Amino acid sequence: MNYKSKSLLINYVSVPELLSCLIPDIGLALLAGALKKEDHLTKILDYSTLETIKRFCPSKHLQEEFREISGDLENYFQESKFIDSDLLNNFDLSRYKGLLEKEKEEKSREIKKIINEIDKEIQVMKPDFIGFKLWSGECFIETVEIAEEIKKRYPNLRIIGGGPQVDWSQEHIYDVTDVFDVLAFGDGDETIIEVAEYCIGERDIEIIPNILYKKDGKVCFNDSRMVKDLDKLPLPDYSYETYPALKANNKLKVFMLEESRGCPHTCNFCIHPIKSGDRWRIKKPERIISEIENIINTHNSRYFRFSGSNTPNLLQTQIAQEIIKRNIKVRYSSFGHINAYRNCDYSLMRAAGCESLLFGLETGNYGLQKDVINKVIKVEDAEKVLNDCKRSGIKTVVSVIYPNPKETEETRKETLEYLRKIKPDGAFICMPFIVPRTSWFIDSDKYGIDIPSKEKHIRFMMTYHVRYNGHPILWNFGSHKINNLDFRQQGLECGRFVDDIKKIGLATQVTEEEMLFASIVKEDFMDFALKYQRIRNNCDMEGLEKLITNLNENVCNVSN
Ligand code: B12
Ligand code: SF4
């Protein structure tokens, strides 16, 4: 077969921390589907795998050193224990940072090997371009390191970056590196075809939508364009030929299911409507079901997580109706919005296989909801939705930001009271992220967010690494202040709030997808989450392989 172009698409996330990082990457699978449909050859090299976790596992000696100083702080969230204030106040931060440096040295040896592996792929395929998915966190710096070395070895090979980091940071990526010939933001499905044509000299760069690039030292932005009809998109390509990491148990065989893009709400902290549009674009339920059937037929998996940030309630109902009509046995989890979900038919959704839902609350205080978050959710509405879910057997997680800008002792108490009243199965507490291009970033002064240098803050957000399971004191530090609290104090406050959540008897830091994973092996979700944490903290690679194998062996089963 004569292909128009050849490419490698790379997903590198450094050390995949969450179990959900092993879910196959729908973004790259979609790009591969689009390329293949137009006769462009492509292959996905996904390093977010079990193999990568194993190869980045710190040496025994380093593991012991970490354990010695972090102790209980490492698996703080899911344990029901509380952290002694002496441990926090006396925490040896500089020694901890020293250990992180040592960890970096160990990792850099593996990164060199990864570069050589990519090099071998290049020699075999001789691609016209390489596309990197760019995330934020330490993985961004490492991806840049990989891309720069590849560029050094193959100066004429075009290197493209795309994905969430570009949505956040846009032209600021060029302050860090010039390695990317093109950066793609927003929807990539149509852009990737035009980028491929550009890379083989068949399209002018000026007319490709959703990209930025450098010309004569200046950054040029092209127009943005969203995919109008999601139903017309090719199916994501999860074939072993295109996506070899899916072989064996290197990835988790739970799949993302794209039902919608965009969100009509404009919460002040959220990038989603900026990236994907401030109105919903939805797929027809029949099309969604055909994607489900495709996964069942090719990978024998019946477990899905919807990828939309705010799945419309009507679509939820229609998907459930269609699943029941066709008698397809599946389990799935999704995000939802309490205000829109007040009258959902939860019994129907449960009967269709809905296992768990995550609702963004952010705060229980009306003033903060209105002035800081821009999402007002009445306690009685939340109570009704969560009770309805409970009665139907659907588990719920509510996410809360703490400390919010303008947070006070009073608002803190109100949020706790609110949570006590609505009793979700889990509460997920996040520190506030001040994401570039959002209202919290642009109008920071209005919210009492003190960002000494916006340039520096963007740089910080590019590499910000959340250690999801460790106490926030272990997270890396920005220079911005919220309510006059520096970053370390925000971390301590967040930890104090998590302690209070535990005291009111709620499970913390468990996600709706972990609830879905636990249902595959019919375990209590908290036991499952804790087991995963212990395995990771003990670097028990055998245990991890067993856990993933067990999940993958059971994704074909759905029982009541
Ligand atoms: C579902 C989800 C996940 C799933 C991902 C499942 C999967 N592997 O596909 C899970 C739970 C694993 C996950 C994990 C993480 N996530 Co997440 N996630 C999301 C969420 C809710 C939806 C993403 C999605 O599926 N979108 C739909 C698909 C189709 O879009 P897409 O993947 O972005 O790809 C499109 C474009 O971006 C573009 N594109 C993507 N890559 C490339 C590459 C090239 C070359 C080109 C041209 C185009 C292109 O084309 C694609 C098709 O249109 C978003 C929030 C949101 N609604 O966007 C956060 C979000 C993307 N996640 C975020 C983060 C930080 C993470 C983590 C890094 C967290 C962590 N520190 O561990 C991890 C790492 C991811 C990993 N693979 O290991 C951030 C991204 C921030 C950033 N700037 O990087 C977001 C925006 C949430 C937030 N905090 O605001 N995530
Ligand atoms: S937080 Fe949720 S509801 Fe608010 S804008 Fe983002 S996606 Fe929409």
Side-chain angles (χ1 to χ4, degrees):
M1 167 127 193
N2 270 344
Y3 291 105
K4 291 182 189 156
S5 77
K6 290 186 282 182
S7 57
L8 292 171
L9 299 175
I10 301 182
N11 185 35
Y12 174 86
V13 300
S14 195
V15 185
E17 196 171 336
L18 305 167
L19 187 53
S20 53
C21 290
L22 300 183
I23 293 179
D25 193 277
I26 189 170
L28 293 186
L30 273 170
L31 298 186
L35 283 166
K36 295 273 281 279
K37 188 170 172 244
E38 298 294 324
D39 297 331
H40 296 269
L41 179 69
T42 196
K43 183 172 171 184
I44 297 171
L45 302 183
D46 189 346
Y47 284 95
S48 187
T49 58
L50 168 65
E51 190 57 37
T52 306
I53 299 176
K54 284 185 184 169
R55 68 199 289 181
F56 280 142
C57 195
S59 61
K60 281 262 171 303
H61 174 68
L62 195 53
Q63 281 177 38
E64 268 155 36
E65 281 200 73
F66 266 122
R67 225 163 273 146
E68 214 175 280
I69 68 161
S70 306
D72 283 351
L73 296 171
E74 278 289 357
N75 53 348
Y76 165 66
F77 278 126
Q78 279 134 358
E79 303 273 14
S80 50
K81 57 183 137 192
F82 304 100
I83 300 294
D84 191 73
S85 58
D86 279 354
L87 181 62
L88 283 174
N89 294 332
N90 302 329
F91 182 66
D92 190 345
L93 199 58
S94 61
R95 186 171 163 213
Y96 179 69
K97 283 186 178 169
L99 293 185
L100 291 180
E101 280 307 310
K102 281 194 198 167
E103 189 183 45
K104 219 159 130 191
E105 278 165 34
E106 289 191 359
K107 274 173 80 183
S108 82
R109 287 194 285 276
E110 284 305 319
I111 294 174
K112 287 197 178 80
K113 288 187 200 158
I114 289 176
I115 294 171
N116 289 336
E117 286 162 21
I118 297 174
D119 193 335
K120 272 199 193 127
E121 294 278 352
I122 296 173
Q123 289 175 36
V124 174
M125 184 195 242
K126 302 196 171 41
D128 299 295
F129 71 96
I130 296 197
F132 282 95
K133 181 155 187 173
L134 301 179
W135 299 88
S136 57
E138 58 196 1
C139 58
F140 174 63
I141 300 297
E142 293 167 16
T143 306
V144 168
E145 193 185 323
I146 295 169
E148 284 180 345
E149 182 57 32
I150 298 288
K151 192 77 168 176
K152 211 152 94 201
R153 295 184 193 182
Y154 299 94
N156 295 325
L157 180 60
R158 303 252 196 224
I159 299 199
I160 320 296
Q165 173 73 284
V166 189
D167 297 319
W168 280 17
S169 309
Q170 298 206 317
E171 74 274 22
H172 298 281
I173 294 177
Y174 284 126
D175 298 340
V176 176
T177 179
D178 274 336
V179 76
F180 299 108
D181 296 287
V182 173
L183 288 168
F185 54 87
D187 293 345
D189 322 73
E190 294 170 350
T191 299
I192 195 76
I193 306 297
E194 301 191 25
V195 165
E197 289 166 355
Y198 160 71
C199 291
I200 52 172
E202 289 186 2
R203 184 169 290 268
D204 289 337
I205 196 164
E206 287 82 6
I207 54 168
I208 304 175
N210 298 2
I211 63 162
L212 56 141
Y213 52 96
K214 260 186 153 176
K215 194 175 169 189
D216 304 327
K218 270 199 178 149
V219 179
C220 308
F221 269 88
N222 286 1
D223 288 345
S224 66
R225 185 173 81 203
M226 289 189 194
V227 172
K228 280 203 186 81
D229 186 353
L230 297 184
D231 286 328
K232 293 213 171 103
L233 288 178
L235 292 182
D237 186 342
Y238 289 119
S239 64
Y240 292 126
E241 184 196 18
T242 304
Y243 204 145
L246 285 176
K247 288 180 193 160
N249 291 305
N250 231 346
K251 300 283 291 179
L252 197 59
K253 301 279 170 61
V254 172
F255 287 82
M256 299 301 296
L257 188 65
E258 193 181 44
E259 27 50 68
S260 67
R261 288 185 193 175
C263 175
H265 304 284
T266 41
C267 300
N268 292 330
F269 61 89
C270 178
I271 188 84
H272 187 76
I274 300 165
K275 169 187 170 133
S276 300
D278 57 5
R279 59 186 66 175
W280 275 306
R281 288 172 289 154
I282 56 172
K283 285 186 182 166
K284 287 201 184 71
E286 297 77 18
R287 154 77 192 223
I288 296 166
I289 304 300
S290 67
E291 294 196 25
I292 291 182
E293 285 174 333
N294 183 46
I295 300 288
I296 296 176
N297 294 336
T298 51
H299 290 285
N300 201 12
S301 171
R302 294 175 178 275
Y303 287 79
F304 299 91
R305 181 195 200 265
F306 293 180
S307 71
S309 275
N310 179 7
T311 307
N313 63 341
L314 184 62
L315 185 63
Q316 280 283 5
T317 309
Q318 291 170 334
I319 296 172
Q321 282 167 339
E322 200 62 28
I323 290 173
I324 291 171
K325 193 170 104 194
R326 301 207 202 178
N327 194 21
I328 303 174
K329 297 280 172 243
V330 284
R331 279 270 185 281
Y332 56 91
S333 69
S334 171
F335 288 156
H337 194 301
I338 285 184
N339 292 349
Y341 278 47
R342 278 174 296 197
N343 296 312
C344 276
D345 185 344
Y346 292 104
S347 308
L348 176 95
M349 282 165 61
R350 179 62 192 157
C354 180
E355 180 67 24
S356 47
L357 292 170
L358 182 137
F359 296 104
L361 170 68
E362 329 314 346
T363 170
N365 171 267
Y366 173 74
L368 292 186
Q369 289 187 348
K370 191 162 110 345
D371 300 330
V372 174
I373 303 292
N374 197 26
K375 175 160 60 189
V376 175
I377 296 175
K378 290 190 195 141
V379 67
E380 50 276 20
D381 291 336
E383 214 175 352
K384 176 185 182 320
V385 168
L386 266 55
N387 276 336
D388 287 352
C389 286
K390 206 164 282 168
R391 264 195 296 274
S392 312
I394 296 174
K395 295 177 192 72
T396 53
V397 179
V398 162
S399 70
V400 171
I401 299 172
Y402 195 88
N404 268 296
K406 306 207 171 174
E407 193 84 60
T408 62
E409 211 40 47
E410 206 44 48
T411 60
R412 165 200 179 85
K413 276 192 199 136
E414 276 187 43
T415 302
L416 281 170
E417 200 40 51
Y418 193 119
L419 290 170
R420 202 197 307 267
K421 228 173 175 170
I422 66 172
K423 293 191 202 66
D425 293 294
F428 197 95
I429 318 301
C430 308
M431 273 173 76
F433 299 135
I434 318 299
V435 176
R437 305 178 68 209
T438 63
S439 176
W440 276 12
F441 177 79
I442 296 165
D443 304 317
S444 51
D445 290 348
K446 188 170 124 190
Y447 302 106
I449 301 168
D450 175 17
I451 307 177
S453 153
K454 292 215 167 166
E455 294 283 314
K456 274 196 190 145
H457 183 77
I458 293 173
R459 192 75 68 87
F460 159 70
M461 288 304 291
M462 278 186 195
T463 56
Y464 186 87
H465 177 64
V466 182
R467 299 176 86 88
Y468 277 101
N469 301 299
H471 190 282
I473 202 169
L474 302 178
W475 302 2
N476 64 357
F477 303 94
S479 56
H480 62 287
K481 287 187 177 175
I482 293 177
N483 315 327
N484 276 327
L485 300 173
D486 67 22
F487 203 77
R488 187 169 185 270
Q489 290 165 324
Q490 291 165 42
L492 289 169
E493 265 302 285
C494 183
R496 188 164 77 93
F497 191 70
V498 172
D499 275 354
D500 283 348
I501 298 283
K502 289 177 182 176
K503 281 182 201 152
I504 60 175
L506 293 180
T508 65
Q509 308 317 89
V510 62
T511 60
E512 80 295 344
E513 75 240 359
E514 276 175 300
M515 293 173 169
L516 181 71
F517 300 156
S519 78
I520 302 174
V521 284
K522 301 183 188 63
E523 284 179 24
D524 171 81
F525 63 82
M526 234 24 226
D527 291 346
F528 179 85
L530 253 175
K531 183 164 74 182
Y532 174 70
Q533 273 330 301
R534 294 222 175 95
I535 285 175
R536 289 305 299 270
N537 291 334
N538 298 334
C539 295
D540 171 9
M541 293 300 114
E542 227 175 273
L544 183 61
E545 185 159 358
K546 245 174 141 175
L547 182 128
I548 295 165
T549 308
N550 190 21
L551 286 166
N552 282 346
E553 280 172 355
N554 285 290
V555 288
C556 53
N557 300 320
V558 171
S559 60
N560 293 321

